[in-house]
Amino acid sequence: MHRGAWLVAAALLAAPGVALAYGEPDAAGVPNPEERLTHVYTNQIRQAPHAWPGWNTALATPAARKPLAMIPGLYSAARFHADDMAANGCFQHESCDGTLFETRIARYFDGPSAGENIYSAVGIPGAAAALTGWMNSDGHRVNILRPEWNALGTGFADAGQVYYVQDFGVASVSVPPIPAAAFESVAGGLRVVANYYDPTGKAPARLEAVLGEAHLALNRVAGADGNETLDATAAAPTGCVPLYFVAEAAGGAQTAFPTSGALLVGPTCTADYTTSRTGGPIGGGGEVIDANDPGGCRCARPARGASWLAWLALALPALGRRRRAHRR
């Protein structure tokens, strides 16, 4: 099923939110660990579609796409929708009260292009299962692999039945060297995983996860030089341990994710993030880091356009143009 929709952008755009350091959650805890993992897996598929298991790879080209940057507004829109569906028991692109998808997105994201995938299942199948389900559905797969997207927000809510949301967009952003990173529990320990992107096509000289005082070298699991996903495993923490990632580009430049603070990992954590982080350069050791923080799918509506910054730079008439929206 397809249907069009008009969007009068000037009437619906909300004021931009407070800027956060890249990868840092907001005051409401957006993103949470499952949302981060969903983002990493989405980028991993874009980097190497045919390497993702469990779907018919004859249905799509193996060509790599760029990973997607984390956009706070898209994350807020996706979390709101996941929470709404979980609380009110609906499963649709409109909010459970009937508010249109376009209206909801415009409350949080001021770019005129957006698309959405949603997934629901009983129990907790995990982000990988959601991605595999989407990849086995034509419309969802098109959204995940759409080359013009450069931004993503993900949502997750659990009410016994789980809900996953991907909100895609086009924004005036540059994809950073570590577009997304996350962790997950695996048999016998902890897995840390990160996407890496270098527009010159060069692999990182090194990519590490700093877990407490341990430095874990990440190795490639998917993709090619400069557009890849890397991971490492370690023993599961018994307390609450800070985690952050550092990439060293081929030319020596270093980038951290999150750009400030650290994620928190372990069974005693009362929060997902701490603002405290001290440490030396990549490859160093013995850092002291503060770990005492209190603390049936449906398809989306791809559209084309530029972000609000590009709007102002290009032309005012763009405010009144038609926005295409599709649902499958």
Side-chain angles (χ1 to χ4, degrees), residues 194-285:
N195 309 124
Y196 181 78
Y197 180 66
D198 181 341
T200 68
K202 296 179 180 177
R206 186 158 186 163
L207 201 158
E208 286 187 345
V210 183
L211 180 65
E213 296 185 3
H215 288 251
L216 309 174
L218 275 63
N219 298 303
R220 184 189 299 170
V221 293
D225 286 357
N227 191 23
E228 54 197 285
T229 295
L230 306 94
D231 77 350
T233 57
T238 57
C240 186
V241 180
L243 166 69
Y244 66 96
F245 298 77
V246 185
E248 181 180 357
Q254 294 184 11
T255 304
F257 178 96
T259 52
S260 68
L263 311 181
L264 289 173
V265 185
T268 65
C269 294
T270 58
D272 294 331
Y273 174 83
T274 174
T275 58
S276 300
R277 181 177 81 203
T278 60
I282 190 168

Side-chain angles (χ1 to χ4, degrees), residues 92-106:
Q92 59 197 35
H93 290 287
E94 284 71 31
S95 297
C96 294
D97 66 1
T99 299
L100 294 178
F101 161 86
E102 291 87 350
T103 304
R104 168 172 51 86
I105 292 293

Side-chain angles (χ1 to χ4, degrees), residues 85 91 117-121 125-126 129-130 133-134 162-165 296-298:
M85 290 190 291
F91 184 68
N117 286 346
I118 58 177
Y119 174 93
S120 182
W134 282 323
V162 295
Y163 296 86
Y164 287 85
V165 179
C297 306
R298 297 192 184 178

Side-chain angles (χ1 to χ4, degrees), residues 115-207:
E116 181 172 89
N117 286 346
I118 58 177
Y119 174 93
S120 182
V122 176
I124 306 177
L131 266 297
T132 301
W134 282 323
M135 288 299 287
N136 278 298
S137 169
D138 290 345
H140 299 84
R141 183 176 58 255
V142 167
N143 242 3
I144 291 170
L145 299 180
R146 188 172 289 275
E148 57 263 40
W149 298 141
N150 69 345
L152 176 67
T154 61
F156 171 77
D158 178 11
Q161 180 138 343
V162 295
Y163 296 86
Y164 287 85
V165 179
Q166 293 170 309
D167 280 337
F168 303 89
V170 174
S172 292
V173 296
S174 297
V175 178
I178 306 178
F183 63 88
E184 63 176 330
S185 297
V186 295
L190 180 78
R191 177 177 181 247
V192 293
V193 56
N195 309 124
Y196 181 78
Y197 180 66
D198 181 341
T200 68
K202 296 179 180 177
R206 186 158 186 163
L207 201 158

